């Protein structure tokens, strides 16, 4: 057995097991001759049904089921068949191949003369001759058509059923190879619905010569669900309940809907479409309406035609032979389309009054105007057009007035219909220039062009032609006519709408016109649109044309692909930036220098603007050493002593720019500030130490100069360190501290690092503290700081 067949068989077993799940055996009986066959009567154990809307559950959970099983030591217990017990039976009585035996309900006992139900029908139940009427029998599924067969045939069929149940197809076909009965193959095909063996079903249909079924099964092969294919097989074999159950189990409600319609179960079809297959709901309503129409139930069909939204065509078609009923239906209906249909029918019959009535009810103003015009009532038609403004109605009435040479009225209604082309045509033909201009301005560009060509030929109306050409977008034609007729006022208006797609010669011509009239800003704008960038820039330089952000964008060439185009673009960008620098538009200049790739000039322009925030930002994103240094130098020109953030930025930029000499000088300046303004020698010492470190790492071209600076910084650091040491030991030994200060005063170039007054002040403070006034005065006198008081 191939893998696909095995999978289908397993799925069939699982589904069959689900069908009998939830039931409790009530009684069971063994076959007297077939010791491996047992039949069980099972009842459903009542439980709460969670899904109240599921018909699948209701199918599985109603009625007592008769379940036949094969039991063998090798294969265990296997399901052979199952079906719901007939409602006329009260219980199972037993089985003897090929029949099940049932006890009838006392209320349903039939006459002794009842004939046996034909073998081809299911269920196969009857009362056999000589058996009391309280007992009925049903032919086993595998033995339909073989009720009177001999023992060897019955044994062969039983072996076939057993092998088919355990999945041994080779032995199953061997068991029945000698049976030639068509009914046996039909029975086998029906068994395939239970086992879901479509490969076996195909063989069975072939032996049955069931061409229609074979074709249907082959066409169903494209369906993805196995249950759908089995359901198609069940329908072909007349197993309608199985087909319904399978389609519900795989939730193919579209095919279930089609099945219900084909089998005439319209109530179920409508229910399925409304609950599960709403995409085909209107189609189902339509098909049911056609079904009712075929039965002659016209009144019942109308609501379903309406639900399918096909009533506008189908109801008049259906009731056309009964005009009285059709008229009554339309009178009750408020549907405009139906009223229009009845109006058209009445008009075709010559009943104009009824037609007008229903055209008005259906708000079909075009047809109203058409009928009134046909009847010669143009006044009423004009009234309707003026009230409703319906464009189609106005157009029709305008045509009628034109045919009657009523030009003024025709132009009016063509205008109401927004058919400006026809209105313009009539004005041109009848020399109605006073209305022509207004109509042209309302019309589309094509009609504007037609009107402009007309005015171009009329003396004294060239200004109108220029305006219309301009409005229609024909700038070249408008400019050409304006130059030819010397309409310089119109030129200024037209030039504002020109773009780079305009003819370059016309752009140059307009630019020359503005140059001659000293309107340099407009000339620059036109030169930029004509991509004559250098001419525009030279004009800006010479005539001091104000540079704006918008103008700069127009002067910026588009990005080119070729290398020479890129170089030329960069040159133009730098030219724009230079003009901006001349006009002190530093931010725009920075932008253009940056676009040209010249960040150094961009930074210089930004430095001139004095925008500290943007300078810091630009330096951070540029990531160039020179720009870092330039930014740091600029920041040093600010009041960095009061702003710690600026100080951090200076140190950071010098560090990133590797300008260690400049950084050393900055640290030196910081130290001097700490001494001069705050007398904070600790911070000054730290700053000078950092300055010395930076100078040692610097790479100056003049080595001797670098060594001199290093020596100077080292000497100053030493002096400050001695002073700090003297102040630090004061608390422990004040005399020693004073001695160190006195020694420090004898150092050469002390004032290069320490203010001499700070040292003297420290000493004087010491003597004053111990009230040694004379000694303090001596020190002050020795330091030259003493001033005699009066």
């Amino acid at each position: 057995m191939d893998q696909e067949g095995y999978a289908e068989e397993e799925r069939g077993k699982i589904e069959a097991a689900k069908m009998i799940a939830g039931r409790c055996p009530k009684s069971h009986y063994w076959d007297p001759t077939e010791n491996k066959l047992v039949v069980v009567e099972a009842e459903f154990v009542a439980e709460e049904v969670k899904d109240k809307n599921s018909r699948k559950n209701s199918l599985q959970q109603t009625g007592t089921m008769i379940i036949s099983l094969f039991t063998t030591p090798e294969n265990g217990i296997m399901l052979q068949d199952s079906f719901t017990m007939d409602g006329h039976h009260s219980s199972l009585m037993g089985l003897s191949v090929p029949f099940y035996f049932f006890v009838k309900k006392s209320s349903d006992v039939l006459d002794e003369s009842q004939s046996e139900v034909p073998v081809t029908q299911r269920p196969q139940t009857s009362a056999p001759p000589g058996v009391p009427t309280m007992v009925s029998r049903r032919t086993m599924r595998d033995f339909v058509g073989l009720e009177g067969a001999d023992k060897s045939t019955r044994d062969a069929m039983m072996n076939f059923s057993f092998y088919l149940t355990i999945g041994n197809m080779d032995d199953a076909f061997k068991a029945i190879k000698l049976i030639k009965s068509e009914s046996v193959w039909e029975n086998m095909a029906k068994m395939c619905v239970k086992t879901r063996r479509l490969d076996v079903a195909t063989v069975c249909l072939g032996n049955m010569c069931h061409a229609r079924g074979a074709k249907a099964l082959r066409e169903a092969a494209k369906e993805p669900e196995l249950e759908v294919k089995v359901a198609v097989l069940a329908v072909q074999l007349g197993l309608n309940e199985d087909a319904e159950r399978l389609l519900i189990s795989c939730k193919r409600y579209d095919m279930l809907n089609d099945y219900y319609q084909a089998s005439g179960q319209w109530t179920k079809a409508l229910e399925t479409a409304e609950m599960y297959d709403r995409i085909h709901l209107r189609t189902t309503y339509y098909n049911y309406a056609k079904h009712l129409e075929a039965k002659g139930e016209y009144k019942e069909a109308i609501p379903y035609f309406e639900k399918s939204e096909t009533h506008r065509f189908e109801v008049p078609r259906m009731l056309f032979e009964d005009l009285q009923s059709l008229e009554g239906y339309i009178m009750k209906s408020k549907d405009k389309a139906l009223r229009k249909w009845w109006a058209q029918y009445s008009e075709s019959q010559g009943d104009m009054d009824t037609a007008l009535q229903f055209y008005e009810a259906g708000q079909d103003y075009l047809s109203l105007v058409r009928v009134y015009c046909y009847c010669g009532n143009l006044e009423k038609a004009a009234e309707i057009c003026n009230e409703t403004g319906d464009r189609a109605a106005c157009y029709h009435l305008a045509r009628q007035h034109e045919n009657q040479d009523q030009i003024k009225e025709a132009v009016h209604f063509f205008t109401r219909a927004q058919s400006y082309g026809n209105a313009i045509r009539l004005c041109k033909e009848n020399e109605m220039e006073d209305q022509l201009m207004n109509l042209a301005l309302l019309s589309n560009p094509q009609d504007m062009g037609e009107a402009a060509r007309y005015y171009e030929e009329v003396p004294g109306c060239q200004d109108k032609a220029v305006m219309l050409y301009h409005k229609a977008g024909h700038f070249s034609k408008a400019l050409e006519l304006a130059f030819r007729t010397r309409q310089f006022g119109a030129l200024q208006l037209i030039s504002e709408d020109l773009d780079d797609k305009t003819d370059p010669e016309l752009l140059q011509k307009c630019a020359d016109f503005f140059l001659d009239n000293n309107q340099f800003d407009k000339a620059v704008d036109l030169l930029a649109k004509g991509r004559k960038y250098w001419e525009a820039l030279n004009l800006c330089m010479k005539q001091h044309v104000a540079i704006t952000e918008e103008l700069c964008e127009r002067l910026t060439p588009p990005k080119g692909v070729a290398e020479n185009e890129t170089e030329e673009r960069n040159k133009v960008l730098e030219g724009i930036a230079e003009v901006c620098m001349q006009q002190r538009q530093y931010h725009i200049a920075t932008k253009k220098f940056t676009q040209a790739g010249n960040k150094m000039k961009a930074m210089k322009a930004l430095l001139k603007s004095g925008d500290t925030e943007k300078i810091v930002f630009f330096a951070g994103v540029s990531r160039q050493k020179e720009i870092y240094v330039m930014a740091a130098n600029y920041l040093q020109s600010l009041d960095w002593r009061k702003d710690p953030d600026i100080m951090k930025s200076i140190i950071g930029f010098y560090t990133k720019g590797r300008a260690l000499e400049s950084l050393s000088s900055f640290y030196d300046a910081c130290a001097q500030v700490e001494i001069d303004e705050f007398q904070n020698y600790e911070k000054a010492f730290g700053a000078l130490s950092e300055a010395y470190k930076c100078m040692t790492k610097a790479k100056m071209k003049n080595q001797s100069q670098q060594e001199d600076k290093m020596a100077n910084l080292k000497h100053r650091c030493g002096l400050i360190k001695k002073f700090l040491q003297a102040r630090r030991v004061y608390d422990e030994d004040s005399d020693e501290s004073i001695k160190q200060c006195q020694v420090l005063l004898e150092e050469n170039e002390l004032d290069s690092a320490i203010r001499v007054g700070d040292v003297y002040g420290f000493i004087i403070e010491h003597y004053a503290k111990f009230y040694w006034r004379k000694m303090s005065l001596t020190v002050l006198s020795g330091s030259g700081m003493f001033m005699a008081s009066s």
Side-chain angles (χ1 to χ4, degrees), residues 589-772:
T590 301
K591 180 179 178 181
K592 294 304 168 184
F593 275 132
T594 304
Q595 290 177 353
N598 195 334
K599 293 184 178 181
M600 290 295 294
K601 288 187 176 181
M603 188 61 181
K604 290 178 181 179
L606 196 56
L607 290 174
K608 288 188 177 182
S609 70
D611 192 334
T612 303
E613 183 178 353
K614 290 186 178 180
I615 290 171
V616 172
F617 175 77
F618 186 80
V621 299
S622 297
R623 298 185 178 181
Q624 289 187 8
K625 294 180 181 180
E626 296 81 0
I627 293 178
Y628 284 136
V629 175
M630 291 170 66
N633 292 339
Y634 165 78
L635 293 176
Q636 279 203 74
S637 66
L638 305 177
D639 191 5
W640 53 268
R641 300 167 184 81
K642 297 180 181 180
D643 193 338
D645 292 333
I646 295 179
M647 184 181 297
K648 290 179 182 178
S649 297
I650 294 171
I651 296 172
F653 287 150
Y654 276 139
T655 303
K656 292 178 181 178
R658 304 294 181 184
L660 298 178
E661 182 183 358
S662 299
L663 181 58
S664 176
S665 299
F666 178 68
Y667 276 127
D668 191 357
C670 291
Q672 199 62 43
V673 169
E674 293 296 335
I675 294 171
D676 293 341
E677 295 186 8
F678 306 105
Q679 291 81 46
N680 192 335
Y681 285 93
E682 287 83 0
K683 289 186 177 181
F685 179 73
L688 282 176
S689 299
E690 292 295 329
Y692 179 74
K693 290 179 183 178
C694 293
M695 187 56 68
T696 58
K697 296 178 182 179
K699 297 180 180 180
M700 296 177 62
K701 295 181 179 180
N702 191 335
Q703 192 70 25
S704 61
Q705 185 180 0
Q706 181 177 358
E707 290 176 356
D708 292 342
K709 287 185 177 181
M710 290 172 59
N712 178 265
L713 289 171
K714 187 174 182 180
H715 175 68
R716 290 166 63 194
C717 285
L719 293 175
I720 294 175
K721 187 175 181 180
K722 289 179 181 179
F723 184 51
L724 290 174
Q725 181 65 24
R727 292 172 61 178
R728 200 175 294 121
V729 301
Y730 179 80
D731 294 334
E732 298 175 1
D733 188 350
S734 58
D735 294 336
E736 179 63 26
S737 176
I738 296 302
K739 287 180 182 180
Q740 291 182 12
C741 289
Q742 291 173 348
V743 171
L744 185 62
L745 288 171
E746 298 175 0
E747 291 284 347
N748 295 326
E749 299 180 357
L750 176 63
D751 56 353
S752 65
I754 303 173
R755 295 196 310 177
V756 177
D758 291 340
V759 180
Y760 280 118
F762 181 73
I763 296 173
I764 293 169
E765 184 181 359
H766 166 72
Y767 287 128
K769 184 176 181 181
F770 294 100
Y771 304 103
W772 291 2

Side-chain angles (χ1 to χ4, degrees), residues 66 134 189 363 528 708:
I66 306 300
M134 290 296 295
Q363 297 181 0
D708 292 342

Side-chain angles (χ1 to χ4, degrees), residues 256-444:
L256 181 64
N257 186 7
D258 293 339
Y259 163 73
Y260 283 144
Q261 293 182 43
S263 59
Q265 302 180 60
W266 287 103
T267 303
K268 289 185 177 181
L270 293 171
E271 179 184 351
T272 301
E274 290 170 353
M275 295 180 64
Y276 305 109
D277 189 29
R278 295 192 65 84
I279 195 171
H280 297 119
L281 181 59
R282 287 176 55 190
T283 304
T284 305
Y285 284 143
Y286 178 79
N287 292 337
Y288 185 46
K290 295 290 288 184
H291 169 72
L292 294 174
E293 180 187 356
K295 292 171 62 178
E297 300 176 3
Y298 298 150
K299 187 176 181 180
E300 291 77 7
I302 290 175
Y304 290 99
F305 276 132
E306 290 175 345
K307 289 181 179 180
S308 67
E309 299 183 13
T310 59
H311 59 288
R312 296 176 183 85
F313 172 78
E314 294 293 344
V315 173
R317 176 194 57 76
M318 180 177 67
L319 299 179
F320 191 73
E321 299 298 330
D322 187 1
L323 293 178
Q324 186 176 0
S325 299
L326 178 58
E327 183 177 5
Y329 171 74
I330 293 175
M331 291 293 290
K332 293 179 182 178
S333 173
K334 296 182 180 180
D335 192 285
K336 295 180 181 179
L338 286 172
R339 294 187 176 188
K340 180 180 178 181
W341 185 92
W342 186 252
Q344 290 172 340
Y345 174 75
S346 300
E347 182 182 356
S348 67
Q349 300 298 314
D351 189 357
M352 296 301 177
D353 293 336
T354 303
L356 288 171
Q357 177 186 350
F358 279 91
Y359 277 138
E360 186 175 0
Q363 297 181 0
D364 186 356
Y365 302 116
L366 171 61
S367 298
L368 271 175
V369 170
R370 178 175 53 77
V371 174
Y372 276 125
C373 290
Y374 175 77
C375 296
N377 193 350
L378 297 181
E379 293 78 7
K380 184 64 176 177
E383 181 182 345
I384 293 172
C385 289
N386 288 324
E387 288 179 358
T388 64
D390 186 85
R391 293 174 59 185
C394 291
Y395 183 85
H396 181 83
L397 183 57
R399 281 293 189 189
Q400 297 298 317
H401 282 300
E402 182 183 0
N403 293 335
Q404 298 181 19
D405 293 331
Q406 298 175 357
I407 306 303
K408 185 176 180 181
E409 290 79 2
V411 170
H412 169 71
F413 285 108
F414 274 134
T415 305
R416 290 295 301 272
Q418 298 182 20
S419 179
Y420 301 113
N422 285 300
I424 290 172
R425 174 179 55 81
L426 289 179
C427 289
K428 288 164 58 178
E429 292 174 355
N430 295 276
E431 298 181 355
M432 299 170 65
E433 287 85 0
D434 53 339
Q435 296 188 35
L436 179 59
M437 187 63 184
N438 293 332
L439 290 171
L441 292 173
L442 293 172
S443 63
N444 56 45

